[in-house]
Amino acid sequence: MKGTYDMDPEYEDIENLYNKQTNLISEQEKKQNEIINQQTQMQVDELNREKSKVDKEVAKTNQGLYTQWQKQSNQYGVEAEQLEKQGLANSGYAETTKTDLYNTYQKNVTETLNSAREIKSDYDFKIAQARQNGSIQQAQSALELYVQKMQLATQMYELRQNREKYLYQKERDTVSDMQWQKTFDEQIRQNELENAWKEKQFNYQRERDKVSDSQWQKEYNLSSRRYS
């Protein structure tokens, strides 16, 4: 049947249409994936930019905490002057105050880093979620396009089946026509033979009748002479 299809322009048109539609669906899938990837990457890039700002804010905050601690712990600073006025500049209280200031500074730095770590973790989650959403969109798109391809394949299968039936019936009709023509030609030949045989019999009988008529005429003439 393949050779017959290759020579059938109508079937070639069907095949070309199917291939064209399949290619269009594949191109559509490619374009949709590109758009989804671009949108996803834009979201990821924006989240990464926001995430990078966290590190800058942390560095800025920590620098401010360090500057504040330096001012507070400076021996010539405000805290030192107050302790000196109170006569506690070189006392154990002064050392305790310095230690408290340092511990407070370390605590604030730690809290800042922990807070930044949580914020960055949230951004990482959002980035992963954006990529996952992009993958889900691609999967949904692929499923929809797969359904379209299956519908096209089903339609093509039905067309092929109908074409198979048509070509089979066409071939059967051709065989039937050939058999009918052969039977018809044989019947004509038999009729011609029969007519030729009848004509031969007719001619033979006519000759026989001529002979009989001649004999009868002779007998009649002879009988007439006798009576005369």
Side-chain angles (χ1 to χ4, degrees):
M1 289 296 180
K2 185 63 177 175
T4 305
Y5 286 156
D6 291 340
M7 298 177 64
D8 191 338
E10 183 179 352
Y11 182 81
E12 288 181 359
D13 290 342
I14 295 174
E15 283 284 358
N16 291 336
L17 178 61
Y18 171 74
N19 292 333
K20 184 177 181 180
Q21 290 178 332
T22 302
N23 291 335
L24 286 175
I25 291 177
S26 297
E27 286 295 323
Q28 181 182 355
E29 182 177 12
K30 182 179 178 182
K31 290 294 183 182
Q32 287 182 350
N33 287 338
E34 289 178 356
I35 293 173
I36 293 173
N37 287 334
Q38 289 175 356
Q39 292 176 342
T40 301
Q41 192 59 47
M42 287 175 62
Q43 292 177 353
V44 171
D45 292 342
E46 179 62 26
L47 290 170
N48 280 324
R49 279 194 294 271
E50 294 297 325
K51 180 181 174 182
S52 65
K53 291 180 182 179
V54 175
D55 292 331
K56 294 179 181 179
E57 289 297 325
V58 168
K60 182 179 179 180
T61 300
N62 286 342
Q63 182 62 39
L65 291 172
Y66 177 79
T67 301
Q68 183 180 5
W69 170 70
Q70 285 288 78
K71 288 181 179 180
Q72 290 175 340
S73 61
N74 188 352
Q75 60 179 338
Y76 302 107
V78 177
E79 293 289 336
E81 289 181 0
Q82 291 179 353
L83 289 174
E84 186 175 357
K85 288 179 181 180
Q86 298 174 3
L88 300 174
N90 297 317
S91 66
Y93 180 79
E95 292 298 324
T96 301
T97 301
K98 289 182 180 180
T99 302
D100 290 341
L101 289 173
Y102 179 76
N103 290 337
T104 300
Y105 162 70
Q106 288 292 334
K107 180 182 177 182
N108 289 336
V109 170
T110 300
E111 289 178 352
T112 301
L113 292 175
N114 289 337
S115 177
R117 191 176 296 110
E118 291 179 1
I119 295 174
K120 289 168 69 175
S121 179
D122 289 339
Y123 277 116
D124 289 337
F125 174 77
K126 291 178 180 179
I127 290 172
Q129 195 173 39
R131 294 188 186 281
Q132 184 179 14
N133 290 338
S135 298
I136 292 174
Q137 290 179 6
Q138 287 183 341
Q140 291 175 341
S141 175
L143 179 60
E144 293 173 358
L145 295 176
Y146 174 77
V147 171
Q148 293 183 28
K149 286 183 179 180
M150 289 301 298
Q151 290 175 345
L152 278 177
T154 301
Q155 293 174 358
M156 191 62 194
Y157 175 78
E158 292 175 353
L159 288 172
R160 285 170 177 163
Q161 289 295 104
N162 292 335
R163 199 66 183 161
E164 289 276 357
K165 293 178 182 178
Y166 166 76
L167 292 174
Y168 174 77
Q169 187 60 47
K170 184 178 180 181
E171 185 175 350
R172 292 294 302 169
D173 291 343
T174 300
V175 172
S176 298
D177 291 343
M178 291 175 61
Q179 290 177 342
W180 179 87
Q181 187 64 42
K182 184 177 180 180
T183 302
F184 178 77
D185 293 341
E186 180 63 21
Q187 186 63 43
I188 293 295
R189 191 179 71 85
Q190 291 292 336
N191 290 339
E192 290 176 350
L193 291 174
E194 184 177 354
N195 291 335
W197 173 250
K198 288 181 179 179
E199 184 176 2
K200 185 177 180 180
Q201 284 184 322
F202 175 77
N203 293 332
Y204 174 77
Q205 187 63 43
R206 186 173 60 182
E207 293 298 325
R208 292 294 300 167
D209 291 343
K210 286 182 180 180
V211 172
S212 296
D213 291 343
S214 177
Q215 290 177 345
W216 180 86
Q217 188 65 43
K218 288 179 181 180
E219 291 178 357
Y220 176 77
N221 292 337
L222 180 60
S223 176
S224 295
R225 285 197 298 271
R226 288 176 182 175
Y227 286 113
S228 300

